[in-house]
């Protein structure tokens, strides 16, 4: 606390930053208190994992749907057709949407009109699909543009479009380029594959469209997400049975409280060291963090339930920057590579060591429901709940950061949960050990919002980006997930890090003089990593598929292949982890 106070007094509040990792969202009390502490400090140096893997989703939600917080979910109970692009829910269980039992859910939809998977790799999900299309990486927006073009000619839900949207003429002009010939040439797909998919969409009427990190981490993420949203609107699928819905939350009750559009702000000035990068959704892009430290603008950092040295680009650059911080406080439940560089380690109570509720996460669940779980075991060693740790830090800095003015010395997990969610709502949850489910309609509340502006089918920023889109390189990097390996957590014990599997198509392997089992060097303009070639026709030609999340300074961390300056999306500041040009050669 004394060091932080000194940083604020000498360099101002922006010199203290916070990084919120993906798993911080699964600790609602800790996340709420951390956000409050950051706000009370008055710092603009806020970073989250959003700018690592999916800023296109809130960007498109803001520009097209009117608010960055709108996150459509699949109506898997009623959908006749599901279209999955660049996502592998059999392994990931969804991305910005939760699918607890993906195999059963997908088989149910497959028994109707079908499940179509669009992915350059024959994933675990693709093996369950009714049809699998394998386009060239980075060309998914051609396929979506083709579908929209054909549906606007025959198959659009015109009453829905006329009532709820604006920008139809601009969208129609934007997609006129996506003819059958243009799309087959760009994607490498056959004419029959395109026409069969379009016919399936017409038969279904409405559909659920889902994307994952295979798309959202690429150079065309913004275009793809825009055209996904446009496809939902053209078919009248958004907020309608058989299509997509938005979970209002049993605790949040957004269908009653509404969504405050004023909180979905346009882009603001970026970080001082990287003014070309935008500040969106109240955060700086993670690509700028190392530069902010080295320029002296960022001198202290809280890293909360994240592992930047694995997930950020140029980890060696970031490691050198971290060494210059006066404070690097790492809060986590395990010892990560980032924790090795910490000046202060904050050992947090794990999920079974604290009381919990589905606050926040409920908005991504497949049903309107909430659940409470008491602590199952006592915290081990010096572990404390994150809310308690930050409550103590805040108090020593002169701030009361616990909700409701609670005292960290006397408050309990349940006290904080009551203050965050409402005592009455939590009391009802505690009385229902199996949780509660909502009894109202899931559909229509977004469309029925009184102050909701029309959905914009063709935001100028995205139309302009379509004109600037460049063709994919002949050989590109694509990420993949592995069973029981979650980001940098739980790497497969049977796979040594220096034996990372690099998945290649036989033609690409032959051109590089590589055979199955050879050690290979994967190289980009930013760096290189080494692995072992797995040659298979289960991946599209032109694709180099590598799992992400491996630690180790000399290990096969794909972040070492990415530049924090050249591999960055200009509209969101996201670093590109997919579609990056690579070369392959046998390792010496």
């Amino acid at each position: 606390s004394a060091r932080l106070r000194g940083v604020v007094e000498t360099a101002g509040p922006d010199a203290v930053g916070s990084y919120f990792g993906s798993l911080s969202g699964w600790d609602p009390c800790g996340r709420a208190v951390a956000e409050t502490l950051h706000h009370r400090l008055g710092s603009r140096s806020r970073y989250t994992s959003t700018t690592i893997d999916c800023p296109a989703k809130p960007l498109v939600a803001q520009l097209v749907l009117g608010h960055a917080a709108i996150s459509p979910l699949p109506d898997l109970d009623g959908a006749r057709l599901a279209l999955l692009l660049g996502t592998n829910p059999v392994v990931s269980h969804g991305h910005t949407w939760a699918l607890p039992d993906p195999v059963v859910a997908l088989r149910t939809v497959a028994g109707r009109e079908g499940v179509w998977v669009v992915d350059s790799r024959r994933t675990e999900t693709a093996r369950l699909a009714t049809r699998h299309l394998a386009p060239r990486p980075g060309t998914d927006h051609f396929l979506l543009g083709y579908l929209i073009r054909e549906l606007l000619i025959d198959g659009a839900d015109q009453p829905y479009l006329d009532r709820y949207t604006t920008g139809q003429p601009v969208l129609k002009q934007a997609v006129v380029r996506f003819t059958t010939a243009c799309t087959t040439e760009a994607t490498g797909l056959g004419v029959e594959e395109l026409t069969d998919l379009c016919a399936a969409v017409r038969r279904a009427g409405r559909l659920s469209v889902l994307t994952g990190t295979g798309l959202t981490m690429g150079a065309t993420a913004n275009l793809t997400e825009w055209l996904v949203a446009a496809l939902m609107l053209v078919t009248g699928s958004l907020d309608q049975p058989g299509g997509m819905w938005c979970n209002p939350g049993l605790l949040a009750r957004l269908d009653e409280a509404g969504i405050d559009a004023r909180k979905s702000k346009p882009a603001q000035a970026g970080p001082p060291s990287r003014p070309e990068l935008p500040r969106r959704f109240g955060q700086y892009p993670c690509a700028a963090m190392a530069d902010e430290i080295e320029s002296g603008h960022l001198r202290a950092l809280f890293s909360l339930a994240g592992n930047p040295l694995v997930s950020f680009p140029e980890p060696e650059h970031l490691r050198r920057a971290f060494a210059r911080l006066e404070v690097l406080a790492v809060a986590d439940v395990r010892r990560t590579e980032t924790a090795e560089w910490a000046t202060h380690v904050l050992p947090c109570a794990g999920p079974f060591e604290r009381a919990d509720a589905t606050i926040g996460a409920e908005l991504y669940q497949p049903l309107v429901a909430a659940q409470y779980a008491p602590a199952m075991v006592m915290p081990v060693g010096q572990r404390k709940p994150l809310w308690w740790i930050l409550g103590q830090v805040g108090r020593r800095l002169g701030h009361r950061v616990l909700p409701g003015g609670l005292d960290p010395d006397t408050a309990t997990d349940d006290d904080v949960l009551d203050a965050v969610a409402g005592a009455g709502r939590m009391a009802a949850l505690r009385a229902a050990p199996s949780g509660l489910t909502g009894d109202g309609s899931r559909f229509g509340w977004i469309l029925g919002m009184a102050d909701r502006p029309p959905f914009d089918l063709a935001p100028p920023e995205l139309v302009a980006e379509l004109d600037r889109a460049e063709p994919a390189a002949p050989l590109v990097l694509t990420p993949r997930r592995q069973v029981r390996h979650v980001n940098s957590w739980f790497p497969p014990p049977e796979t040594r890090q220096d034996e990372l599997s690099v998945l290649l198509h036989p033609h690409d392997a032959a051109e590089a003089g590589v055979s199955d089992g050879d050690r290979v060097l994967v190289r980009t303009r930013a760096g290189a990593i080494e692995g072992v070639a797995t040659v298979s026709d289960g991946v599209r030609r032109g694709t180099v598929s590598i799992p992400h999340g491996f630690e180790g300074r000399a290990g096969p961390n794909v972040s070492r292949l990415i530049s924090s300056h050249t591999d960055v999306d200009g509209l969101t500041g996201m670093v590109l982890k997919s579609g990056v040009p690579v070369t392959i050669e046998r390792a010496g």
Side-chain angles (χ1 to χ4, degrees):
S1 298
R3 288 195 191 183
L4 289 173
R5 188 180 298 110
V7 168
V8 173
E9 290 174 352
T10 58
D14 284 350
V16 179
S18 299
Y19 171 65
F20 297 88
S22 298
L23 293 179
S24 66
W26 302 103
D27 179 1
C29 292
R31 178 66 179 254
V33 174
E35 295 279 13
T36 300
L37 175 59
H38 186 87
H39 177 73
R40 295 281 168 81
L41 289 172
S43 173
R44 291 176 295 178
S45 300
R46 179 176 178 270
Y47 303 82
T48 85
S49 56
T50 296
T51 60
I52 291 296
D53 62 3
C54 66
K57 286 183 177 288
L59 174 72
V60 169
Q62 181 181 56
L63 297 179
V64 177
L65 305 181
H67 197 287
I70 295 179
S71 184
L73 307 172
D75 177 25
L76 295 178
D77 290 336
R80 296 185 60 206
L81 175 66
L83 178 60
L84 282 68
L85 302 102
T87 185
N88 188 12
V90 169
V91 172
S92 67
H93 289 253
H95 175 66
T96 68
W97 49 281
L99 196 57
D101 197 341
V103 173
V104 171
L106 294 175
R107 282 177 175 167
T108 299
V109 180
R112 301 168 189 155
E113 189 61 50
V115 173
W116 288 65
V117 170
V118 179
D119 202 299
S120 60
R121 182 170 68 91
R122 189 165 62 242
T123 63
E124 292 83 350
T125 301
R127 294 168 195 161
L128 294 177
T130 308
R131 291 284 293 272
H132 171 216
L133 307 184
R136 295 189 181 99
T139 63
D140 302 82
H141 63 290
F142 280 87
L143 175 60
L144 292 164
Y146 163 81
L147 288 175
I148 294 169
R149 179 183 186 275
E150 295 300 309
L151 291 169
L152 287 173
I153 295 172
D154 177 23
D157 187 335
Q158 198 60 48
Y160 184 101
L161 287 173
D162 292 342
R163 182 175 181 181
Y164 297 116
T165 73
T166 186
Q168 291 183 54
V170 180
L171 176 65
K172 185 175 293 187
Q173 182 61 36
V175 299
V176 73
R177 72 192 74 184
F178 297 117
T179 62
T180 303
C182 168
T183 304
T184 55
E185 181 181 0
T187 63
L189 297 174
V191 173
E192 185 179 351
E193 291 177 305
L194 298 182
T195 56
D196 285 354
L197 175 57
C198 191
V201 174
R202 286 190 174 115
R203 286 193 302 269
R206 295 171 183 160
L207 74 161
S208 291
V209 193
L210 306 165
T211 63
T213 53
L215 295 183
T216 60
M217 295 197 299
T220 59
N222 303 328
L223 296 179
T224 304
E225 289 296 329
W226 163 39
L227 295 175
V228 164
L231 180 61
M232 285 191 294
L233 297 172
V234 166
T235 56
S237 298
L238 181 62
D239 205 22
Q240 294 286 288
M244 306 288 284
W245 67 293
C246 299
N247 195 329
L250 191 68
L251 298 172
R253 299 180 183 176
L254 297 180
D255 51 342
E256 299 175 7
I259 298 176
D260 187 354
R262 294 172 300 177
K263 294 183 178 179
S264 191
K265 299 177 181 178
Q268 299 168 295
S273 64
R274 300 286 299 277
E276 78 279 9
L277 299 181
R279 173 182 170 85
R280 291 188 184 273
F281 324 121
Q283 58 189 284
Y284 286 152
C286 291
M289 183 182 287
D291 296 291
E292 283 290 277
I293 295 171
E294 292 184 338
S295 65
H297 297 124
L298 187 62
R299 293 169 50 181
L301 177 70
F302 286 97
S303 177
L304 309 169
N307 198 359
L309 285 176
V310 174
S311 58
F312 285 25
E314 299 180 20
E316 289 297 329
H317 181 199
L318 185 61
R319 191 175 284 109
R320 292 192 299 271
F322 277 176
R324 301 178 60 172
L325 286 171
E326 296 177 42
V327 175
L328 175 56
V330 175
D332 215 315
V333 299
R334 63 186 280 268
R335 194 175 187 91
T336 65
E337 185 169 348
T338 301
E340 298 292 338
W341 289 79
T343 59
H344 299 76
V345 175
L346 310 176
C348 299
F352 294 109
E353 298 171 331
R354 54 176 169 79
D356 207 351
T358 51
I359 301 170
E362 62 174 349
L363 302 182
Y364 309 103
Q365 295 177 157
L367 73 166
V368 182
Q371 192 171 16
Y372 165 81
M376 303 301 293
V377 296
M378 294 293 294
V380 175
Q382 297 179 335
R383 290 150 70 105
K384 294 283 189 180
L386 179 59
W387 65 259
W388 183 93
I389 295 171
L390 298 182
Q392 297 288 355
V393 172
R395 187 169 65 177
R396 286 160 173 75
L397 292 173
H399 302 293
R400 296 180 70 89
V401 296
L402 263 59
L406 293 171
D407 185 341
D409 284 336
T410 58
T412 66
D413 288 339
D414 286 322
D415 293 334
V416 182
L417 284 169
D418 286 347
V420 171
R425 297 176 185 180
M426 288 306 305
L429 273 188
R430 293 190 188 96
S434 298
L436 296 173
T437 57
D439 54 5
S441 173
R442 301 184 302 173
F443 301 98
W445 70 273
I446 292 288
L447 295 177
M449 290 171 56
D451 57 347
R452 183 191 57 77
F455 300 132
D456 189 352
L457 289 167
E461 302 94 324
L462 299 176
V463 174
E465 189 159 308
L466 182 60
D467 293 331
R468 294 193 300 267
E470 298 180 357
L475 193 64
V476 298
L477 170 71
T478 63
R480 75 176 188 268
R481 294 189 181 273
Q482 296 175 298
V483 177
R484 296 182 295 277
H485 181 194
V486 183
N487 296 336
S488 63
W489 285 57
F490 317 123
E494 67 275 10
T495 304
R496 287 169 42 193
Q497 289 199 20
D498 61 352
E499 294 182 350
L500 178 75
S501 170
V502 178
L503 189 58
L504 300 169
H505 187 274
H507 287 294
D508 296 323
E511 288 182 356
V514 169
S515 300
D516 188 72
D518 284 351
R519 298 199 66 81
V520 294
L521 200 65
V522 182
R523 193 186 300 277
T524 68
R525 57 189 173 187
I529 62 174
E530 193 171 308
V532 175
T534 300
V535 180
S536 169
D537 61 2
V539 65
R540 172 90 196 196
R541 187 175 184 180
T543 302
V544 178
S545 176
I546 303 177
H548 62 267
F550 285 90
E551 294 185 320
R553 295 186 65 169
N557 180 359
V558 294
S559 294
R560 292 168 56 196
L561 299 175
I562 311 302
S563 166
S564 62
H565 287 79
T566 57
D567 298 320
V568 180
D569 176 67
L571 206 53
T572 63
M574 180 192 72
V575 294
L576 308 180
K577 293 283 189 74
S578 182
V580 177
V582 299
T583 60
I584 294 289
E585 61 190 82
R586 291 184 63 182

